[in-house]
Amino acid sequence: ETGATLSGDLAGRHVVVSAGGTRERLDPVRFLGNRSSGLQGYALARAAAARGAEVTLVAANSALPDPAGVKVVKVETTAELRDAVLAAAVAADAVVMAAAPADFRPVNESATKIKKSADGSAPSITLQQNPDILHELSTHRPRPEAVIVGFAAETGDDTGSVLELARAKLARKGCDLLVVNDVSGGAVFGAEDNQAVILAADGASVDVPRGSKSAVAHVIWDQVVARMG
Ligand code: CTP
Ligand code: CA
């Protein structure tokens, strides 16, 4: 794919990639979820393995097949994703949070199926905020020399442009790199192609040309490798 693919520049490195979208259970048959396909995270895991890394892929509810040569840990909820990522991060040279964790979970999970009532009324669901895994990783740094990468899909709004909101998110999260997708035009979720800008905490910014999620993954690893000790 690129020269770096064959160079094995991740040989001897351990990387952790999270992928997919977490689900928060409401009752035994229902959940709150999101539309993340896992494609970009799986492409990152495959690209890292091709470059020689030992890869742990923490996968949330993705229908994609396990990539060859990659250790796959399957999770459902944001709490499970947090536990799996933090455990693997202790030995990681890089952690890439490509997953879309549900931001909220129901305060109560019903042990039995929630039923309709005869009077046509609907139940209220009270939510609470989930832990922010990327922020926790970036502030606690289980391995201080590890490169920590976040993702952000932004539309821009009346408070700022896509890049302004992304710069603010990078600072708030405390990670080293933030891969920013402009989703104001639709498409990204489940799409074959991707386009991004990679913002670095040191102020650098790299435009990633439109290409396959595999090509985007290799550009992300190029940036990670450049920052590894
Ligand atoms: N993330 C995380 N834990 C969460 C939520 C998000 O680790 N509970 C990570 C995502 O995997 C991603 C990055 O944080 O790498 C940014 O996710 P995003 O949803 O854009 O950030 P939020 O802080 O949830 O902000 P927003 O209100 O815009 O959703
Ligand atoms: Ca979010």
Side-chain angles (χ1 to χ4, degrees):
E1 187 115 21
T2 68
T5 308
L6 300 173
S7 77
D9 57 0
L10 286 171
R13 305 288 197 175
H14 181 192
V15 305
V16 177
V17 177
S18 70
T22 65
R23 293 175 178 177
E24 305 295 340
R25 290 183 293 274
L26 283 162
D27 72 13
V29 298
R30 302 185 180 94
F31 57 83
L32 297 175
N34 64 70
R35 293 170 57 199
S36 175
S37 64
L39 282 168
Q40 185 64 70
Y42 276 63
L44 279 155
R46 276 195 303 272
R51 291 166 77 145
E54 183 190 326
V55 183
T56 301
L57 174 63
V58 182
N61 309 297
S62 177
L64 299 170
D66 291 358
V70 166
K71 180 184 176 193
V72 182
V73 180
K74 302 242 164 135
V75 298
E76 184 177 2
T77 67
T78 293
E80 290 164 13
L81 179 71
R82 173 183 174 275
D83 290 350
V85 167
L86 292 182
V90 172
D93 299 294
V95 182
V96 182
M97 285 295 298
D103 289 332
F104 309 102
R105 68 178 182 279
V107 170
N108 299 303
E109 178 187 344
S110 176
T112 54
K113 188 183 170 196
I114 300 166
K115 302 296 282 183
K116 289 191 287 190
S117 55
D119 66 3
S121 67
S124 296
I125 298 163
T126 307
L127 302 176
Q128 64 187 317
Q129 209 165 309
N130 271 326
D132 188 326
I133 304 161
L134 180 61
H135 182 262
E136 195 173 342
L137 267 176
S138 302
T139 51
H140 294 290
R141 298 271 169 178
R143 200 147 177 262
E145 63 270 40
V147 180
I148 300 177
V149 185
F151 270 73
E154 301 286 350
T155 60
D157 58 26
D158 51 10
T159 70
S161 68
V162 167
L163 283 182
E164 285 165 347
L165 294 179
R167 270 276 163 219
K169 184 167 283 182
L170 173 63
R172 200 163 62 238
K173 297 283 187 178
C175 53
D176 302 305
L177 297 170
L178 189 71
V179 182
V180 184
N181 291 124
D182 181 342
V183 291
S184 46
V188 162
F189 295 107
E192 286 297 325
D193 271 18
N194 205 353
Q195 186 181 18
V197 177
I198 303 173
L199 300 182
D202 61 18
S205 154
V206 175
D207 281 305
V208 184
R210 173 162 294 282
S212 67
K213 288 186 173 177
S214 170
V216 171
H218 278 292
V219 178
I220 293 168
W221 289 122
D222 289 343
Q223 292 302 311
V224 170
V225 167
R227 286 169 174 79
M228 279 175 160

